[in-house]
Amino acid sequence: MACGLLDEREFGIIHVEVTNRALFDQLSNPLEFKKGWIVIADAQGRVLTNVTDSVKVDNIKALPYLQDVYAAGQGWYSTKINGKQSMVVYQTNRLGWKIITVVSQQELWQKLQLIKNGAIAVSVLFVVLTIAVLSSFGLRIKNRLNSLVRSMRRVRDGDLGLTVKVYDKDEVADLEEEFNTMSLRLKQSLGEIAEARSAAETEKLKLLQAQINPHFLYNTLALVKSMAIDVGSAEIGRTIDALAKFFRLALNRGGDILPFREELEHVRAYLDIHESRFPGRLTTIFEIEEETLSCEIIKITLQPIIENALLHAFIRTGGRGTLHIRARLQDDMLCITITDNGSGMIPEQVKDLLEKAEGAKHRMGFGIYNVNERLQRQYRNAYRMTIQSKPDEGTSIGLFIPQQVSQIAVAI
């Protein structure tokens, strides 16, 4: 009820006085035009406020150059005031009041020129700073690239393993990192090449020295054979002939590849020597297809496998046993099988023969491992070896050697 009485009764009037400048100060232009002024008038032209007080008038309709402001709600036009060209800008609010701004065009253009000059100065400063920054950046990039080029020339001249400092994480840094990687890898590669060349020179020297030994060996064997014939020992003479043939085929005039026919002759020479040492203990069966004789094979492939069988497969029988050697040509593949009826092996021993150079204790199986490695290096994945063995049931070793030229890799 108290609120209702308060709303219906009048208690008094509050009178507030505010200066025009305080009320309309926000209308003043921050540029402070000296030859311009702002006036607010009502719909009848009566002046409500004259902000700059530069013109003393009570009704703007009395001023000829301001009468056009009532022709429209808002707009602007150019007119002469006191002989000077000026611009009049006006706008009407919701109360019908006119807010009129009068500015001297000369002063306006001066202010605009100041703004223009300021904008030009800022633009020039920005361009100068941009050029300075780009020049500094470009000079830095140029110096880094020049340093990189100098380092490349030093590497070219033999300073291997040289590296440069990597700056930041930009595109030039990628070049610097790639250069460092290339330089280090080049040093490593040249080191490996130097080691390989040194090893090759050593092997070449050994080969030259080894060329002397066969002639000495053949002459010595010929002398021993003559001595054996002089004393009437034909058996010794035959053994010496087999030994000479064995070494002649093994040397193969320095070549690594020979026809399968000569490889078989080499094996037979080795078996003849074994027969001379242990007569009647070993039975050898050859099943060789005629078309395999012209196939190619790495020299000294079969002899290590046969020697391994003689040394280990028949150890429980005092060297007595049977060897079965088969060879056939199938799908451009020379298939060789060497089978013995010896003591055989457990699976772990078979695995060791193919994966470890030591094979088993006392170098058992080293010859087989060596043969497998040589054939893999020569023929790569086109070649394979199989080993089938069971304790007390013997061992069968299979070699599958490609005969197509396109499948054979160049030996290194």
Side-chain angles (χ1 to χ4, degrees):
M1 292 295 293
C3 292
L5 293 175
L6 182 63
D7 290 340
E8 297 175 357
R9 299 176 59 184
E10 296 181 358
F11 289 90
I13 298 174
I14 298 176
H15 178 74
V16 179
E17 292 186 0
V18 181
T19 63
N20 291 338
R21 184 169 297 277
L23 182 61
F24 299 103
D25 187 60
Q26 65 270 24
L27 298 178
S28 299
N29 195 307
L31 295 178
E32 289 294 334
F33 291 99
K34 295 179 180 180
K35 297 180 180 180
W37 53 284
I38 300 175
V39 63
I40 299 177
D42 59 13
Q44 287 73 36
R46 293 190 296 269
V47 176
L48 301 177
T49 181
N50 190 346
V51 176
T52 58
D53 298 328
S54 58
V55 177
K56 302 297 183 179
V57 65
D58 294 330
N59 194 309
I60 62 173
K61 289 185 177 181
L63 300 175
Y65 54 83
L66 292 182
Q67 292 180 1
D68 292 341
V69 301
Y70 287 92
Q74 61 181 11
W76 67 273
Y77 59 90
S78 179
T79 185
K80 283 188 177 182
I81 301 176
N82 298 327
K84 295 182 179 180
Q85 197 71 25
S86 300
M87 179 179 291
V88 178
V89 181
Y90 61 92
Q91 187 171 2
T92 306
N93 64 10
R94 290 180 295 178
L95 298 176
W97 296 358
K98 296 287 184 177
I99 303 174
I100 306 165
T101 301
V102 180
V103 180
S104 171
Q105 287 190 0
Q106 180 181 2
E107 187 177 5
L108 177 62
W109 287 118
Q110 290 176 352
K111 299 295 184 180
L112 292 177
Q113 189 66 30
L114 289 176
I115 296 174
K116 176 183 177 182
N117 294 338
I120 293 175
V122 171
S123 300
V124 171
L125 179 61
F126 176 77
V127 171
V128 171
L129 291 176
T130 302
I131 293 175
V133 171
L134 292 178
S135 298
S136 175
F137 178 76
L139 182 61
R140 184 183 180 191
I141 294 296
K142 178 183 177 182
N143 292 336
R144 290 170 63 186
L145 290 176
N146 288 337
S147 175
L148 190 59
V149 170
R150 290 193 297 268
S151 299
M152 289 180 179
R153 290 172 179 169
R154 289 177 59 184
V155 172
R156 179 197 62 188
D157 295 336
D159 192 0
L160 303 179
L162 177 67
T163 57
V164 297
K165 185 176 180 180
V166 179
Y167 296 87
D168 302 329
K169 293 183 179 180
D170 52 11
E171 289 77 5
V172 180
D174 293 338
L175 291 177
E176 292 166 344
E177 290 179 353
E178 290 298 326
F179 169 79
N180 291 341
T181 302
M182 177 205 69
S183 180
L184 295 175
R185 287 184 179 176
L186 182 61
K187 181 179 180 180
Q188 180 182 1
S189 298
L190 289 181
E192 293 174 353
I193 292 174
E195 292 179 1
R197 181 179 298 174
S198 177
E201 293 294 333
T202 301
E203 291 298 326
K204 182 178 180 180
L205 178 60
K206 290 181 179 179
L207 180 60
L208 293 174
Q209 293 173 343
Q211 290 178 354
I212 302 174
N213 297 331
H215 298 285
F216 175 77
L217 177 62
Y218 294 150
N219 293 336
T220 302
L221 291 176
L223 177 60
V224 174
K225 180 180 179 181
S226 299
M227 294 172 62
I229 293 176
D230 290 342
V231 299
S233 179
E235 185 65 26
I236 295 178
R238 288 193 298 271
T239 302
I240 292 174
D241 282 338
L243 183 61
K245 185 176 183 180
F246 175 84
F247 282 113
R248 176 177 59 80
L249 294 171
L251 294 172
N252 190 33
R253 298 177 297 278
D256 291 328
I257 306 295
L258 76 170
F260 185 57
R261 178 185 292 101
E262 295 184 13
E263 178 70 7
L264 288 175
E265 292 180 11
H266 180 255
V267 169
R268 287 191 172 98
Y270 174 76
L271 292 173
D272 288 342
I273 297 172
H274 180 80
E275 180 65 20
S276 299
R277 294 181 60 196
F278 308 103
R281 294 188 182 183
L282 180 67
T283 301
T284 306
I285 302 173
F286 288 91
E287 292 185 11
I288 309 298
E289 295 182 0
E290 184 69 22
E291 57 185 354
T292 63
L293 298 178
S294 60
C295 293
E296 291 185 344
I297 191 172
I298 296 179
K299 68 180 182 180
I300 316 179
T301 295
L302 302 184
Q303 183 270 331
I305 300 175
I306 294 174
E307 181 182 7
N308 187 78
L310 297 180
L311 293 177
H312 304 291
F314 306 125
I315 190 171
R316 296 181 183 178
T317 60
R320 291 178 173 81
T322 301
L323 274 179
H324 205 148
I325 302 173
R326 301 181 181 89
R328 71 183 191 281
L329 187 63
Q330 181 178 352
D331 298 330
D332 296 323
M333 187 80 70
L334 176 59
C335 306
I336 304 172
T337 305
I338 302 174
T339 305
D340 65 69
N341 60 347
S343 56
M345 294 178 290
I346 60 176
E348 288 76 11
Q349 290 176 308
V350 174
K351 182 178 180 181
D352 287 343
L353 286 179
L354 295 176
E355 296 182 357
K356 299 181 181 179
E358 295 82 2
K361 294 181 179 179
H362 308 299
R363 295 175 62 83
M364 183 182 104
F366 177 79
I368 297 178
Y369 173 85
N370 184 276
V371 168
N372 190 42
E373 282 292 302
R374 289 167 56 217
L375 291 174
Q376 281 186 342
R377 290 179 180 273
Q378 178 72 17
Y379 302 107
R380 307 298 182 188
N381 296 330
Y383 152 83
R384 63 189 177 92
M385 171 188 283
T386 62
I387 300 179
Q388 297 178 353
S389 182
K390 290 183 179 180
D392 300 325
E393 294 185 12
T395 301
S396 178
I397 298 178
L399 304 176
F400 301 88
I401 303 172
Q403 294 302 303
Q404 290 183 353
V405 177
S406 61
Q407 292 179 330
I408 301 177
V410 179
I412 298 176

